[in-house]
Amino acid sequence: MPIRRIHSGGAYEPKIGYCRAVVAGGWVHVAGTVGQGETVEAQCADALKTIETALEKAGASFVDVVRVTYMLPQAADFEPCWPLLRAAFGSNPPVTTMIECGLIDPQFKIEIEVTALLPE
């Protein structure tokens, strides 16, 4: 099965040398994704839109996500995102990990990485 790479046109993709998602072996691996906006909620919503687009290009959706990693510089910023995350994953919640860490630029408040299984 060939590997398929999905680019989103994000500014960091050519700078760092990565793509938004890779489809391989029936899996969709979506790179850590940040969003735009002033608040953590706005950035979370924007990141989820970018992830949703990458999943759709791969032939998957949030229903197919099995693992999510959330990375935030401030752990206290995670709870305000919970309603957005519940809305995205609905009755198909993935396993998750939240890590408090520095991100590539201090303007970013959340980064989200997902892995999905392609539907049959």
Side-chain angles (χ1 to χ4, degrees):
M1 181 177 252
I3 294 173
R4 186 163 51 108
R5 290 173 172 79
I6 298 169
H7 295 274
S8 66
Y12 286 103
E13 288 179 33
K15 289 179 184 178
I16 297 172
Y18 78 98
C19 58
R20 177 64 43 216
V22 172
V23 181
W27 295 95
V28 183
H29 305 275
V30 181
T33 303
V34 297
Q36 300 302 310
E38 296 298 317
T39 66
V40 69
E41 297 94 337
Q43 289 186 17
C44 181
D46 194 52
L48 289 170
K49 280 191 258 181
T50 300
I51 291 167
E52 183 176 39
T53 299
L55 289 169
E56 287 173 354
K57 287 180 180 178
S61 71
F62 283 124
V63 170
D64 305 302
V65 172
V66 296
R67 174 171 287 287
V68 181
T69 303
Y70 303 103
M71 295 154 275
L72 297 93
Q74 301 294 321
D77 281 345
F78 191 42
E79 190 170 352
C81 297
W82 294 356
L84 296 164
L85 303 174
R86 277 194 308 272
F89 296 106
S91 60
N92 300 289
V95 297
T96 66
T97 301
M98 192 287 292
I99 301 168
E100 184 177 39
C101 63
L103 299 180
I104 196 164
D105 187 307
Q107 73 176 327
F108 298 124
K109 301 175 186 306
I110 187 168
E111 183 170 340
I112 305 169
E113 174 185 85
V114 308
T115 303
L117 181 62
L118 283 173
E120 294 181 355

